[in-house]
């Protein structure tokens, strides 16, 4: 009976994991960070996330998709080449940014013909560059110079994109392109920016940006991404937390299975004004810029790893998150334990999964935190119940032995390696990829998976 219950429990976890999305953002500006913090698509583990979103391109004056970096198309090619290693990986392209301080969405959504030109350009760009979908990042309709009418115009854009994606897939007999959006977490912004019940049916998933709830702009210390409100919150700040934000999206009509909870891989920092150093302590401004991210009031997780050894770490029990202080600096951040608490909340509320901002601010190379590559995202994946990842080789085998020709003439798929049960072959387009099971596991062809002996 115990074995049966254990087996059922494992099956339940695997079923939950199979229905979850783990969507990970990467940024094209991370390539300019110095030394070990420089990040490109070559640093991505193709089996870590279910979806990877490339940020960011923009919209030009002709309502066309337009790259922002000189090597965007080169980086995009390298990102999408990861799908040769993991054919199950989905990639999306984020469009957003600013043009002359304003969002390029503002003039684009203003007229039907502008939206039509953008949609045509988007489909062409996505197909030509082997993307699986489009992610909209407008911060925000009806804000920052955007007129109130843009709330309804955003709904029109989303509906028109969705229909165009449907029509294009049917016409060309292709898999339909995905459509997602990064959306606000603060209640006043949600109300002013979105017709939630009208946009939700047209989006495949919705990335709720449940971070930046607090920062140096508050004048007092507060956590970047708390799960619940704290006793020091008052006024509108009682809603500056994940529980309140996601509950509002649900109340306004968003289906739980389409909402993805945001997991930040960075923290917000403060300079303390006095000897008080708890939650809600007076702050004189942003904390010092990190050596690698070089932005005041902000530290990537790999920078926080080097901050913590000389700091005092305190957990906020009511908010399920930690902060660290050292002399006059205060940083609120996420760690593996806070990620676990958020996954539990996510599961209880039957959300569709998680999205990570960003891959390039986790310790992606494993050189800062001494806990291996991607300590946060790997822990998130495990907490969500995903099975162990295969260990990949950089590309097809090239040695002149039977392994290199194993997949020639075979259908794409996974195959037993008769010489080593801890590895297996992945065939794709005639190429042979040698994959390794996680330590202690062996490959079983019956389930096409690695499992305990």
């Amino acid at each position: 009976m115990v074995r049966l219950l254990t087996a059922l429990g494992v099956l339940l976890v695997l079923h939950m994991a199979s229905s979850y999305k783990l969507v990970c953002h990467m940024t094209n500006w991370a390539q300019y960070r110095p030394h070990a913090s420089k990040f490109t698509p070559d640093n991505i583990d193709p089996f870590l996330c279910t979806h990877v979103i490339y940020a960011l391109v923009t919209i030009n004056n002709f309502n066309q998709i337009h790259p922002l970096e000189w090597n965007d198309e080169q980086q995009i090619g390298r990102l999408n080449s990861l799908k040769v290693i993991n054919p199950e990986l989905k990639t999306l392209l984020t469009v957003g940014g600013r043009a002359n301080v304003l969002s390029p969405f503002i003039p684009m959504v203003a007229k039907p013909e502008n939206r039509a030109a953008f949609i045509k350009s988007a489909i062409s760009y996505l197909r030509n560059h082997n993307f699986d979908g489009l992610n909209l990042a407008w911060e925000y309709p009806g804000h920052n110079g955007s007129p109130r009418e843009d709330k309804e115009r955003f709904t029109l854009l989303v509906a028109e994109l969705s229909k165009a994606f449907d029509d294009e897939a049917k016409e060309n007999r292709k898999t339909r392109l995905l459509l997602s959006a990064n959306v606000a977490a603060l209640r006043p912004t949600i109300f002013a920016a979105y017709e939630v019940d009208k946009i939700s049916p047209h989006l495949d998933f919705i990335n709720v940006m449940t971070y930046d709830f607090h920062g140096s702009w508050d004048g007092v210390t507060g956590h970047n991404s708390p799960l619940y409100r704290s006793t020091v919150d008052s006024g509108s700040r009682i809603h500056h937390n994940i529980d309140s934000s996601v509950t509002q999206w649900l109340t306004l009509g968003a289906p739980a299975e389409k909402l993805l909870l945001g997991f930040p891989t960075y923290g917000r920092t403060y300079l303390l004004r006095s000897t008080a150093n708890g939650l809600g302590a007076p702050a004189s401004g942003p904390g010092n810029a990190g050596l690698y991210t070089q932005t005041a009031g902000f530290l990537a997780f790999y920078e926080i790893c080097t901050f913590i050894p000389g700091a005092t770490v305190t957990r906020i029990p009511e908010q399920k998150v930690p902060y660290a202080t050292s002399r006059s600096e205060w940083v609120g951040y996420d760690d593996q334990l806070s990620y676990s608490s958020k996954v539990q909340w996510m599961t209880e509320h039957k959300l569709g999964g998680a999205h990570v901002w960003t891959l390039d601010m986790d310790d992606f190379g494993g050189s800062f935190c001494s806990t291996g590559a991607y300590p946060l995202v790997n822990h998130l994946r495990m907490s969500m119940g995903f099975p162990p990842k295969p260990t990949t080789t950089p590309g097809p085998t090239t040695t002149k032995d039977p392994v290199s020709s194993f997949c020639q003439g075979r259908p794409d798929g996974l195959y037993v390696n008769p010489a080593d049960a801890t590895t297996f072959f992945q065939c794709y387009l005639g190429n042979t990829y040698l994959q390794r099971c996680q330590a202690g596991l062996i490959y079983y062809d019956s389930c096409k998976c690695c499992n305990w002996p």
Side-chain angles (χ1 to χ4, degrees):
M1 178 60 73
V2 172
R3 288 183 178 180
L4 175 61
L5 291 175
T6 301
L8 290 173
V10 171
L11 288 173
L12 177 61
V13 168
L14 291 175
H15 172 74
M16 289 166 55
S18 68
S19 64
Y20 275 147
K21 293 179 178 67
L22 177 50
V23 176
C24 301
H25 302 263
M26 65 151 290
T27 60
N28 53 6
W29 58 88
Q31 64 180 307
Y32 301 119
R33 292 182 184 138
H35 310 301
S37 65
K38 177 181 179 179
F39 183 95
T40 71
D42 297 335
N43 297 110
I44 295 175
D45 176 345
F47 292 94
L48 183 61
C49 308
T50 61
H51 301 63
V52 175
I53 299 183
Y54 184 91
L56 157 88
V57 297
T58 190
I59 308 166
N60 65 19
N61 293 334
F62 302 99
N63 303 299
Q64 309 286 307
I65 294 283
H66 188 73
L68 279 172
E69 298 296 338
W70 62 277
N71 63 343
D72 269 332
E73 296 197 353
Q74 178 186 350
Q75 291 215 83
I76 286 168
R78 284 151 68 188
L79 169 63
N80 285 325
S81 70
L82 298 177
K83 292 190 284 188
V84 174
I85 301 174
N86 179 12
E88 298 300 314
L89 178 67
K90 304 297 182 186
T91 60
L92 291 87
L93 178 67
T94 287
V95 59
R98 296 290 177 92
N100 299 321
V101 185
L102 297 176
S103 168
F105 281 97
I106 298 172
M108 185 269 286
V109 300
K111 298 179 181 179
E113 57 268 29
N114 291 358
R115 297 195 298 271
F118 169 75
I119 292 169
K120 181 178 179 181
S121 168
I123 292 174
S124 175
Y125 197 95
L126 296 173
R127 291 301 190 192
N128 288 339
H129 292 86
N130 195 28
F131 278 107
D132 299 291
L134 185 70
N135 182 57
L136 305 174
W138 182 358
E139 298 183 17
Y140 301 98
H143 296 76
N144 305 318
S146 167
R148 286 183 297 177
E149 294 79 10
D150 280 353
K151 177 178 180 178
E152 290 77 21
R153 291 169 181 161
F154 182 67
T155 301
L156 290 173
L157 173 66
V158 169
E160 290 164 3
L161 273 166
S162 179
K163 183 179 186 304
F165 286 2
D166 285 339
D167 293 344
E168 187 267 346
K170 292 175 184 176
E171 181 179 347
N172 297 310
R173 297 183 179 180
K174 293 183 176 181
T175 301
R176 180 187 176 276
L177 292 165
L178 300 170
L179 182 61
S180 63
N182 293 356
V183 298
L186 295 182
R187 286 189 170 208
T189 309
I190 297 168
F191 282 117
Y194 313 110
E195 297 178 295
V196 173
D197 59 330
K198 294 182 180 179
I199 63 173
S200 295
H202 302 295
L203 294 169
D204 293 287
F205 55 92
I206 301 168
N207 304 316
V208 187
M209 296 189 287
T210 45
Y211 33 80
D212 291 342
F213 285 113
H214 297 284
S216 59
W217 52 85
D218 285 343
V220 296
T221 59
H223 198 277
N224 175 49
S225 182
L227 186 50
Y228 301 104
R229 64 172 292 189
S230 79
T231 52
V232 304
D233 289 330
S234 61
S236 63
R237 290 181 183 171
I238 65 172
H239 296 300
H240 289 206
N241 58 77
I242 288 170
D243 181 69
S244 180
S245 173
V246 176
T247 298
Q248 190 58 47
W249 275 93
L250 294 169
T251 301
L252 292 174
E257 64 273 13
K258 287 193 176 185
L259 294 179
L260 303 190
L261 186 61
F263 287 75
T265 57
Y266 68 92
R268 289 287 177 183
T269 70
Y270 306 77
L271 287 180
L272 298 170
R273 189 186 301 169
S274 67
T275 56
N277 62 4
L279 193 63
S284 59
N288 296 320
L291 180 62
Y292 300 97
T293 50
Q294 300 175 357
T295 303
F298 182 99
L299 290 177
F301 184 69
Y302 55 77
E303 293 171 316
I304 293 169
C305 281
T306 62
F307 179 87
I308 287 174
T312 300
V313 174
T314 305
R315 305 204 76 83
I316 312 170
E318 58 192 346
Q319 296 191 300
K320 308 294 185 184
V321 286
Y323 66 89
T325 57
S326 178
R327 296 193 179 99
S328 63
E329 290 202 76
W330 195 102
V331 54
Y333 63 100
D334 274 277
D335 61 5
Q336 286 89 337
L337 184 56
S338 67
Y339 267 29
S340 294
S341 297
K342 292 177 181 183
V343 169
Q344 182 179 355
W345 189 96
M346 180 185 79
T347 303
E348 290 171 352
H349 289 79
K350 297 180 173 59
L351 302 191
H355 76 101
V356 176
W357 186 268
T358 61
L359 283 175
D360 49 80
M361 290 187 292
D362 197 358
D363 185 14
F364 57 88
S367 57
F368 292 89
C369 303
S370 302
T371 52
Y374 291 107
L376 287 182
V377 185
N378 266 311
H379 181 81
L380 175 59
R381 177 187 172 88
M382 180 188 71
S383 298
M384 291 172 68
F386 285 99
K389 299 183 285 88
T391 302
T392 66
T393 57
T397 57
T398 55
T399 56
K400 293 182 179 180
D401 59 27
V403 171
S404 62
S405 59
F406 178 86
C407 288
Q408 291 179 12
R410 295 180 188 265
D412 293 349
L414 306 181
Y415 295 88
V416 169
N417 178 7
D420 182 2
T422 66
T423 67
F424 58 97
F425 296 127
Q426 180 179 3
C427 295
Y428 186 68
L429 300 179
N431 294 314
T432 305
Y433 298 87
L434 180 65
Q435 312 285 11
R436 297 187 183 278
C437 295
Q438 195 175 47
L441 307 185
I442 62 175
Y443 178 76
Y444 287 90
D445 201 51
S446 58
C447 65
K448 303 291 183 184
C449 68
C450 293
N451 209 332
W452 297 107

